[in-house]
């Protein structure tokens, strides 16, 4: 589990007191090629303003310039008296505006999810609008503001906007009616030929290379570049979007979409996802209006040239083989591979494919996202483990579906979807549930010096047999009960601002580890078909005994799925010698994913040999 901070209530340092330009400063600025119709409307920092750093730039309307700001070759920095600083609606997920939000700099990923998802609660919608308007009013005074230590060079126009401290704007086309959040620790960069309109760019983000943002809000450390066009969308923390088009979407943290011809429209993606080249995700051709949606949980991986239609829904870590899927899909089996068999015109699904055929990718997933964490702020928690309460509950549902032996209907066009390797999938699903239980329970007991099941219950509290629904709220995995409590507190006025919402999520995060341990114990009981209150040391001992064997299997599958790349003749044929291959690919034994997986195995084995809970 890692953390994301996106409260953005205000920058750490308040704007300093300002003053008008002196006559000497105006004369100096004009000698340096600067101009203004009315210099009296330009305010500067009372302390630290350096006129030497302001050159060849034009100013119009109410403009405030902070301390140590560099401005050079900027055609226009302006504020219009008729500018509207109220938030402009972003129509996420649905083109018809039915899930529109009113963004403000104080919001984060979870806030946007709540607003977009719970549309049937009119009282909640009204309260969220009040909070957003109030917070936006505090953050968007009626002037264009250039924060302390900001650098703006070679840029055509900054209009009706706020550029936070330490931001770097170099070569942008236009920033209009927008907020660029930045500070000394998480500097935001806006580069060449970029156009940003009616948007909020999060701390530490990089918008570059002719990217176009129109009615967009980003999280922290988002990257949008190489002529990407993003409209009416929320782009989560550490997402990387380039060369493509994204419209009317909610994209949770750690999404990747970097190919020139991919298209994403009217879609919710739960994060930790990737779109391949040629993917066309979202088409309203199955509806009479532009009101379709796609909902994909985390780990969504459509392959090359995949075409999907509205409305569709996908379980976590669904991988889709190249093809045109002309009808709606409802995929409920997580960690699966979906494909069309053109010879028989049937849809086929390989449940648990990630575990049976591509364990290397499964183990790599959370490791790579941790390494891609480029944020400098801490706050809202994001679960990156592929096995967490949300995905484990999906696995249990998949087991129920497969073992019921009832026909599986996942596509409107075709009456039945063929389940491939069902027995192998169920075996893999069960192994990964045991692995989830062992990894969390045994680690918790080891780290807290717990030696018995009774001591474990004393530490975490009693168990129940309630089946909780777990949700991915902007990256935070939370029970529906806990989220409902937050929503109720918003509606009854106990929560009046976004910072209070975030404080409630922080409170949940402080208890999440315990909730996760309880869920792991309940999952162990469910897997063994017993009441959670009947768990005892014997069940715990059995879990520990099987954990090492399971992990040896996981390591073997990780190694074999990667080793093919070093032994398959159709891979090795391009190298004239083993030395050449190793120079290009590196040594298989040094593969970081394999080594990390083996290290985790060794930790499990050491726990297995050293830890024995008392009877």
């Amino acid at each position: 589990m890692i953390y994301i901070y996106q409260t953005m209530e205000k920058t750490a340092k308040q704007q300093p007191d300002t003053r008008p330009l002196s006559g000497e400063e105006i004369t100096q600025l004009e000698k340096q090629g600067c101009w203004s119709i009315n210099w009296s409307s330009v305010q500067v920092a009372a302390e630290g303003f350096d006129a030497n750093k302001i050159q060849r730039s034009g100013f119009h309307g109410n403009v405030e310039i902070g301390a140590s700001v560099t401005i050079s070759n900027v055609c226009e920095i302006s504020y219009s008296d008729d500018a509207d600083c109220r938030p402009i609606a972003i129509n996420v997920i649905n083109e018809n505006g039915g899930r529109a939000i009113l963004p403000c700099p104080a919001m984060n990923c979870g806030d946007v999810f709540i607003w977009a998802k719970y549309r049937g609660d009119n009282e909640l919608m009204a309260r969220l609008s009040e909070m957003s308007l109030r917070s936006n009013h505090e953050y968007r005074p009626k002037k264009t503001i250039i924060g302390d230590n900001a650098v703006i060079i070679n840029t055509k126009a900054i209009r009706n906007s706020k550029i936070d401290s330490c931001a770097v704007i170099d070569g942008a086309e236009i920033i209009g009616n927008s907020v660029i959040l930045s500070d000394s620790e998480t500097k935001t960069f806006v580069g060449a030929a970029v156009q940003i309109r009616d948007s909020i760019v999060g701390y530490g983000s990089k918008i570059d290379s002719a990217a176009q943002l129109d009615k967009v809000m980003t999280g922290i450390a988002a990257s949008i570049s190489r002529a990407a066009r993003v409209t009416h969308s929320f782009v989560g923390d550490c997402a990387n979007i380039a060369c493509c088009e994204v419209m009317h979407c909610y994209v949770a943290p750690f999404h990747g979409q970097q190919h020139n011809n991919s298209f994403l429209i009217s879609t919710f993606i739960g994060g930790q996802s990737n779109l391949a080249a040629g993917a066309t995700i979202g088409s309203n051709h199955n509806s009479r209006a532009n009101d379709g949606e796609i909902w994909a949980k985390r780990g969504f991986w459509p392959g090359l040239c995949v075409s999907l239609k509205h409305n569709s829904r996908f379980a976590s870590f669904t991988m889709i083989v190249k093809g045109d899927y002309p009808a709606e899909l409802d995929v409920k089996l997580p960690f699966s591979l979906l494909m069309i068999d053109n010879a028989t015109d049937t849809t086929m699904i390989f449940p648990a494919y990630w575990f049976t055929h591509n364990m290397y990718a499964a183990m790599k997933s959370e490791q790579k996202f941790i390494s891609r964490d480029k944020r400098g702020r801490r706050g809202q928690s994001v679960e990156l483990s592929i096995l967490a309460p949300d995905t484990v509950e999906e696995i249990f549902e998949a087991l129920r579906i497969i073992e019921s032996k009832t026909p599986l209907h996942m596509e409107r066009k075709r009456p039945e979807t063929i389940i491939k390797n069902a027995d192998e999938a169920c075996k893999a699903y069960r192994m990964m549930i045991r692995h989830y239980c062992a990894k969390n329970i045994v680690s918790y007991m080891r780290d807290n010096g717990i030696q018995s099941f009774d001591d474990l219950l004393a530490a975490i509290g009693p168990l129940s047999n309630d089946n909780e629904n777990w949700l991915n709220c902007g990256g935070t995995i939370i029970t529906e009960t806990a989220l409902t409590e937050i929503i109720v507190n918003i509606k009854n006025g106990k929560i009046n601002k976004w910072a209070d919402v975030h404080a409630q999520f922080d409170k949940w995060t402080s208890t999440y580890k315990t909730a996760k341990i309880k869920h792991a114990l309940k999952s162990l009981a469910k897997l063994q078909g017993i009441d959670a209150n009947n768990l005892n040391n014997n069940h715990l001992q059995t879990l520990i005994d099987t954990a090492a064997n399971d992990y040896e299997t996981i390591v073997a599958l990780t190694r074999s799925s990667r080793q093919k790349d070093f032994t398959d003749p159709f891979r090795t044929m391009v190298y004239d010698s083993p030395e050449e291959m190793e120079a290009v690919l590196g040594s298989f034994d040094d593969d970081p994913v394999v080594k990390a997986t083996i290290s985790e195995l060794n930790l499990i084995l050491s726990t297995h040999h050293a830890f024995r809970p008392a009877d």
Side-chain angles (χ1 to χ4, degrees):
M1 183 175 64
I2 61 172
Y3 297 89
I4 288 178
Y5 180 94
Q6 178 73 337
T7 57
M8 302 187 301
E9 284 291 339
K10 292 182 180 179
T11 51
K13 182 178 179 181
Q14 298 289 336
Q15 284 292 329
D17 294 335
T18 61
R19 60 171 177 81
L21 289 162
S22 67
E24 292 81 0
E25 288 171 329
I26 293 173
T27 300
Q28 179 182 353
L29 290 172
E30 290 178 342
K31 287 181 179 179
Q32 293 168 181
C34 297
W35 64 94
S36 175
I37 295 175
N38 182 9
W39 284 112
S40 65
S41 64
V42 178
Q43 298 284 306
V44 298
E47 297 181 4
F49 172 74
D50 186 352
N52 293 308
K53 295 183 176 181
I54 315 297
Q55 301 187 17
R56 298 180 298 280
S57 300
F59 303 88
H60 177 75
N62 293 329
V63 175
E64 181 178 301
I65 304 173
S68 299
V69 168
T70 298
I71 300 175
S72 179
N73 294 325
V74 180
C75 296
E76 175 190 345
I77 298 179
S78 65
Y79 185 85
S80 303
D81 291 336
D82 58 354
D84 189 351
C85 289
R86 293 176 298 179
I88 295 176
I90 298 179
N91 299 334
V92 296
I93 305 174
N94 200 305
E95 287 186 75
N96 71 359
R99 297 188 187 274
I101 65 165
L102 294 178
C104 73
M107 293 170 61
N108 68 17
C109 304
D111 305 328
V112 177
F113 172 83
I114 293 170
W115 201 329
K117 179 61 178 173
Y118 294 94
R119 303 304 293 198
D121 192 330
N122 292 329
E123 185 180 359
L124 174 64
M125 295 300 103
R127 292 286 292 119
L128 295 179
S129 294
E130 292 172 9
M131 288 165 54
S132 191
L133 289 169
R134 187 185 308 116
S135 179
N136 190 78
H137 176 73
E138 294 173 357
Y139 205 87
R140 291 289 305 275
K142 292 187 175 182
K143 53 188 171 183
T144 287
I145 298 176
I146 312 300
D148 296 350
N149 301 300
V151 176
I152 307 177
I153 59 176
N154 306 320
T155 293
K156 286 190 177 180
I158 308 290
R159 297 173 182 157
N160 310 325
S161 296
K162 181 176 181 182
I163 312 300
D164 259 356
S165 62
C166 302
V168 177
I169 317 295
D170 185 358
E173 187 78 10
I174 183 171
I175 299 176
N177 196 34
S178 298
V179 175
I180 310 299
L181 296 163
S182 178
D183 62 22
S184 59
E185 295 182 354
T186 48
K187 299 178 182 179
T188 296
F189 176 81
V190 179
V194 165
Q195 300 180 36
I196 301 176
R197 296 179 174 87
D198 301 326
S199 297
I200 299 170
V201 177
Y203 289 100
S205 293
K206 183 177 182 180
I207 316 298
D208 199 9
S209 307
Q212 298 180 34
L213 281 64
D214 187 0
K215 299 177 181 65
V216 172
M217 180 176 178
T218 82
I220 294 174
S223 174
I224 304 175
S225 63
R226 289 180 284 165
R229 295 169 56 196
V230 185
T231 307
H232 276 289
S233 295
F234 174 81
V235 178
D237 309 68
C238 296
N240 190 345
I241 294 175
C243 308
C244 60
E245 185 166 4
V246 177
M247 298 176 62
H248 302 281
C249 290
Y250 175 104
V251 176
F254 296 94
H255 171 72
Q257 185 178 350
Q258 302 142 39
H259 299 285
N260 198 41
N261 51 352
S262 65
F263 181 72
L264 184 66
I265 182 169
S266 297
T267 299
F268 169 92
I269 293 186
Q272 301 160 50
S273 44
N274 186 75
L275 263 66
T280 305
I281 310 303
S283 169
N284 280 306
H285 295 167
N286 291 4
S287 176
R288 270 56 62 188
N290 59 337
D291 56 3
E293 299 177 1
I294 287 176
W295 285 75
K297 295 183 178 180
R298 60 193 183 108
F300 184 55
W301 284 65
L304 295 167
C305 300
V306 165
S307 177
L308 301 174
K309 301 295 188 292
H310 297 135
N311 288 346
S312 290
R313 183 173 62 173
F314 298 93
S316 295
F317 293 90
T318 298
M319 188 179 293
I320 307 175
V321 174
K322 176 181 179 180
D324 182 8
Y325 297 79
E328 299 91 330
L329 292 161
D330 188 9
V331 179
K332 298 179 180 179
L333 309 181
F335 301 98
S336 296
L337 178 73
L338 182 70
M339 65 177 293
I340 296 174
D341 184 349
N342 293 318
T344 60
D345 192 34
T346 57
T347 305
M348 298 192 303
I349 190 165
F350 293 76
Y353 179 87
W354 285 66
F355 307 141
T356 58
H357 291 78
N358 201 9
M359 187 67 81
Y360 181 88
M363 295 297 103
K364 180 180 178 180
S365 182
E366 59 189 87
Q367 297 176 29
K368 73 179 181 183
F369 290 122
I370 291 173
S371 69
R372 293 176 184 177
D373 179 8
K374 305 300 182 185
R375 295 159 293 107
R377 286 174 168 253
R378 181 184 180 279
Q380 180 184 348
S381 66
V382 171
E383 177 66 86
L384 291 185
S385 176
I386 62 171
L387 296 174
D390 60 329
T391 53
V392 170
E393 287 301 314
E394 288 185 77
I395 291 175
F396 274 118
E397 176 64 12
L399 285 168
R400 186 196 64 79
I401 292 171
I402 295 171
E403 292 173 349
S404 70
K405 305 294 184 180
T406 57
L408 184 61
H409 184 207
M410 293 195 317
E411 186 181 11
R412 177 190 288 274
K413 179 181 176 182
R414 298 175 175 89
E416 183 176 353
T417 301
I418 306 301
I419 300 178
K420 303 292 289 185
N421 304 334
D423 291 341
E424 182 185 9
C426 289
K427 182 179 178 181
Y429 275 149
R430 292 179 185 279
M431 178 183 71
M432 297 309 288
I433 293 174
R434 289 196 303 270
H435 170 54
Y436 162 77
C437 295
K439 183 177 180 179
N440 287 281
I441 296 170
V442 176
S443 297
Y444 183 86
M445 295 180 73
R446 181 193 63 233
D447 294 345
N448 292 277
I450 297 172
Q451 289 293 313
S452 73
F453 185 76
D454 289 341
D455 290 343
L456 176 60
L457 288 184
I460 66 173
L463 300 177
S464 70
N465 287 302
D466 298 337
N467 289 322
E468 281 277 16
N469 187 28
W470 291 79
L471 304 172
N472 176 2
C473 185
T476 298
I477 306 303
I478 186 172
T479 63
E480 188 171 28
T481 300
L483 184 57
T484 299
E485 182 180 351
I486 294 174
I487 290 172
V488 169
N489 286 334
I490 293 173
K491 291 164 61 175
N492 64 22
K494 291 183 179 179
I495 294 176
N496 289 301
K497 55 185 179 181
W498 294 113
D500 295 338
V501 177
H502 306 158
Q504 291 296 305
F505 274 99
D506 290 342
K507 181 180 177 182
W508 163 257
T509 298
S510 68
T511 65
Y512 174 62
K513 189 172 184 178
T514 300
K516 195 173 179 180
I517 298 301
K518 286 186 174 183
H519 179 265
L521 286 166
K522 291 163 65 174
S523 297
L524 176 61
K526 189 174 181 180
L527 195 62
Q528 297 187 5
I530 62 175
D531 188 298
N533 292 308
N534 292 332
L535 283 173
N536 56 42
N537 274 327
N538 291 331
H539 299 110
L540 195 58
Q541 184 62 64
T542 300
L543 176 65
I544 294 170
D545 289 340
T546 58
N549 291 332
D550 286 341
Y551 219 87
E552 287 177 349
T553 301
I554 291 170
V555 169
L557 290 170
T558 303
R559 289 179 61 90
S560 63
S561 60
R562 175 57 170 153
Q563 200 161 27
K564 291 181 294 185
D565 297 331
F566 291 81
T567 57
D568 188 305
F570 285 91
R571 292 275 299 179
T572 61
M573 64 183 180
V574 297
Y575 306 107
D576 292 334
S577 67
E579 291 76 16
E580 180 188 357
M581 184 174 72
E582 183 170 330
V584 175
L585 301 181
S587 170
F588 171 73
D589 292 330
D590 292 333
D591 184 280
V593 175
V594 175
K595 291 179 70 174
T597 306
I598 292 173
S599 295
E600 192 168 354
L601 169 63
N602 291 333
L603 185 59
I604 294 289
L605 289 175
S606 66
T607 303
H608 171 255
H609 292 305
F611 174 64
R612 288 289 187 274
D615 292 330

